[in-house]
Every structure is written in structure tokens, then in C-alpha cells.
Amino acid sequence: MSLLFKNSMWEEQDNRLKRTFKFRDFSEAFAFMTRVAFLAEQQNHHPNWSNVWNVVQIELTTHDEANTVTEKDRKLAKSIDGLLN
């Protein structure tokens, strides 16, 4: 997987952790999303996300905690970061 761009860190904004990832092509972006999906299932915590060609945008918030950022979001963000190392 060849990550072309990622903003330097997760940003907390509007009760969400947000980050944008840019890959070489759609296949790499989709592969990344698949890996994130497995993490989300393991942690039973699922992202809001979008994908347009080689760009994946992820937003994390805890819906059952009034849509605020919680430790669940921070844990998943850290796990996602681990996919890129």
C-alpha cells in the first residue's frame, strides 16, 4: 500500500475525529478501507467514511454517547494509524 498523503494527525472538530488519506489509486484506497473495516468489526466501533477514487476521509464519533469523541474513537484512530506503519 502506497500512501501518497495523510494529514499529520487526527483533527477533533464538531465532536468528531477527522482524517484524510490519499493513496496511489482506487485499489489501494479500497484495500485500506477493507483493513479498517476489519478493525472496526473487532472493536465493534464503526466509522463514518467516504471514498472518492484514491482519497479516503474518515470521521469517528461515538453515536451511543451523544455523538461525542470518546476513548472508543481514540482507540480506533490509533489502530487505523497502525495500519500505515
Side-chain angles (χ1 to χ4, degrees):
M1 184 169 4
S2 174
L3 185 67
L4 295 177
F5 164 82
K6 66 178 179 178
N7 59 0
S8 60
M9 55 195 271
W10 291 87
E11 295 179 12
E12 188 168 342
Q13 183 181 53
D14 300 324
N15 292 319
R16 298 177 186 282
L17 289 180
K18 299 179 180 185
R19 192 159 187 179
T20 300
F21 303 86
K22 185 174 181 181
F23 297 89
R24 190 174 48 183
D25 56 29
F26 176 77
S27 294
E28 288 195 1
F30 192 82
F32 171 72
M33 291 179 74
T34 300
R35 293 172 71 195
V36 171
F38 285 115
L39 287 175
E41 277 298 299
Q42 288 172 351
Q43 296 182 25
N44 194 29
H45 191 56
H46 304 90
N48 296 321
W49 57 7
S50 66
N51 167 241
V52 177
W53 189 57
N54 66 335
V55 176
V56 177
Q57 294 179 315
I58 299 178
E59 295 185 356
L60 303 173
T61 190
T62 304
H63 303 293
D64 57 354
E65 294 290 333
N67 292 315
T68 59
V69 175
T70 68
E71 188 55 36
K72 285 182 178 182
D73 304 300
R74 288 178 177 72
K75 179 181 176 188
L76 183 54
K78 185 175 180 180
S79 295
I80 292 168
D81 289 346
L83 294 175
L84 302 170
N85 296 330

